[in-house]
């Protein structure tokens, strides 16, 4: 039983890592493939696609568990955002989260208008679609996680710093997402990662700002506090990959009480 709980815990942390991967690009679609390792074992594969053709942009993340984790945690997810680039800001018009767990699918659709969340619908297999009432104190001037990270990547292109701050509403809670620059580091190519060269390091941190938060930290808040206790907040390395003008995530490291989770860039096209 303890092993099953541990594996489920690791899976939840990996899912949160996937949602923190993004970058910006030129008009053509770019696809990046990542592999996630936990305790040296390959547990998740993710594909990220980006297309920024001013004034429009689209970004998506497709991921699924693999190996031993897929037998215990049969999960797949797709996360998409569409929007417009306005005065160097990525303004979402639609964000959708589709998660499949043991054959059952849940779809959350966020629609935005005038820089604010207009509606949220939740649809589950064989169940009536739910439209929760929106608390404007939680949603005012918020964006989605993918658009927020795109802004950080755009900022890095222009300033060479991985830094940013955005307010996010995830359907139940409001929080501020911070990216903080921690300087440059040279990475070496390995059997896990195709990238080598200088990369910008930044930490990722969230701060609760209202909504249905538990008294005891859970999810991403829990693992960031575990990392803090170990002297290392969740970190992402951003770098320019050959053939592309803009920086992309090339590595992510998250330290938890159950060990380290590492995500590596394995393919670019």
């Amino acid at each position: 039983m303890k092993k099953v709980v541990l594996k489920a815990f690791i899976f939840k942390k990996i899912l949160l890592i996937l949602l923190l991967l993004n970058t910006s690009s030129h008009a053509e679609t770019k696809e990046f493939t990542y592999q996630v390792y936990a305790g040296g074992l390959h547990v998740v594969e993710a594909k990220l696609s980006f297309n920024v053709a001013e004034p429009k942009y689209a970004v998506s993340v497709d991921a699924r568990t693999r190996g031993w984790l897929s037998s215990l945690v049969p999960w797949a997810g797709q996360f998409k955002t569409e929007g417009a680039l306005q005065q160097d800001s990525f303004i979402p018009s639609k964000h959708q989260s589709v998660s499949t767990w043991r054959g059952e699918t849940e779809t959350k659709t966020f629609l935005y208008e005038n820089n604010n969340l207009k509606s949220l619908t939740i649809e589950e297999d064989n169940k009536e679609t739910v439209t929760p009432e929106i608390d404007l104190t939680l949603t005012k001037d918020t964006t989605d996680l993918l658009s927020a990270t795109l802004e950080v990547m755009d900022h890095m292109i222009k300033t060479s710093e991985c830094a940013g701050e955005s307010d996010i509403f995830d359907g139940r809670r409001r929080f501020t997402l911070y990216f903080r620059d921690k300087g440059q580091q040279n990475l070496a190519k390995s059997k896990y990662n195709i990238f080598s060269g200088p990369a910008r390091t930044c930490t990722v941190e969230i701060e609760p700002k209202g909504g249905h938060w538990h008294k005891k930290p859970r999810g991403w808040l829990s693992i960031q506090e575990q990392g803090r206790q170990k002297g290392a907040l969740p970190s992402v390395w951003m770098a320019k990959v050959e053939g592309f003008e803009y920086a992309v995530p090339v590595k992510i490291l998250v330290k938890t009480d159950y060990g380290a989770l590492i995500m590596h860039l394995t393919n670019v096209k």
Side-chain angles (χ1 to χ4, degrees):
M1 176 63 70
K2 290 184 177 180
K3 290 184 177 179
V4 173
V5 172
L6 171 58
K7 292 169 182 176
F9 175 89
I10 291 174
F11 158 71
K12 291 179 181 178
K13 310 315 169 193
I14 290 170
L15 172 57
L16 287 163
I17 292 173
L18 297 175
L19 291 177
L20 289 169
L21 273 174
N22 277 287
T23 188
S24 58
S25 65
H26 283 311
E28 71 271 18
T29 298
K30 295 175 173 60
E31 183 179 270
F32 304 87
T33 301
Y34 298 86
Q35 310 297 341
V36 180
Y37 293 84
L41 298 176
H42 185 190
V43 292
V44 168
E45 179 177 273
K47 292 185 182 294
L48 291 81
S49 298
F50 310 96
N51 188 302
V52 180
E54 294 188 32
K56 301 294 185 181
Y57 71 92
V59 56
S60 68
V61 177
D62 291 274
R64 63 183 62 250
T65 52
R66 67 174 307 281
W68 58 266
L69 188 62
S70 64
S71 61
L72 291 171
V73 188
W75 171 86
Q78 184 178 68
F79 312 90
K80 299 179 179 180
T81 297
E82 301 172 357
L85 183 56
Q86 301 175 7
Q87 298 180 341
D88 297 328
S89 294
F90 291 85
I91 309 299
S93 57
K94 179 180 180 180
H95 173 71
Q96 191 170 67
S97 167
V98 182
S99 181
T100 301
W101 166 258
R102 297 190 184 279
E104 296 185 359
T105 299
E106 178 187 70
T107 301
K108 294 182 180 179
T109 302
F110 299 75
L111 296 181
Y112 297 84
E113 187 176 86
N114 299 325
N115 297 333
N116 286 291
L117 182 64
K118 179 181 179 181
S119 67
L120 166 62
T121 58
I122 303 174
E123 182 179 357
E124 298 183 6
D125 287 341
N126 302 318
K127 294 184 179 179
E128 184 178 354
T129 299
V130 176
T131 304
E133 184 176 350
I134 297 176
D135 184 345
L136 296 181
T137 62
L138 297 178
T139 63
K140 183 176 174 57
D141 298 325
T142 59
T143 185
D144 71 284
L145 189 59
L146 301 184
S147 298
T149 313
L150 278 168
E151 289 207 8
V152 174
M153 299 302 97
D154 188 57
H155 177 77
M156 181 177 168
I157 294 165
K158 297 170 181 175
T159 67
S160 297
E161 284 190 334
C162 180
E165 175 182 334
S166 298
D167 288 321
I168 312 293
F169 177 69
D170 67 1
R172 300 183 71 246
R173 300 160 297 186
R174 181 187 179 113
F175 59 91
T176 301
L177 173 67
Y178 298 97
F179 284 81
R180 296 187 174 94
D181 192 276
K182 296 299 178 181
Q184 184 169 290
Q185 181 180 351
N186 287 320
L187 300 181
K189 183 178 180 179
S190 70
K191 65 178 181 179
Y192 298 104
N193 200 312
I194 65 171
F195 178 80
S196 65
R200 205 74 191 176
T201 311
C202 59
T203 58
V204 182
E205 184 177 4
I206 65 171
E207 180 183 355
K209 290 294 180 68
H212 298 285
W213 292 91
H214 295 280
K215 292 183 178 180
K216 184 178 180 180
R218 296 185 182 183
W220 183 257
L221 188 60
S222 174
I223 63 172
Q224 84 172 20
E225 295 310 310
Q226 292 173 29
R228 194 192 306 277
Q229 292 175 5
K230 297 177 183 298
L233 286 171
S235 299
V236 56
W237 284 259
M238 301 289 179
K240 288 185 178 181
V241 177
E242 184 178 358
F244 299 103
E245 180 180 354
Y246 295 147
V248 299
V250 295
K251 179 182 176 181
I252 285 183
L253 172 63
V254 178
K255 292 185 178 181
T256 77
D257 291 340
Y258 297 91
L261 302 177
I262 306 177
M263 176 174 279
H264 292 287
L265 175 65
T266 59
N267 190 45
V268 178
K269 67 178 182 179

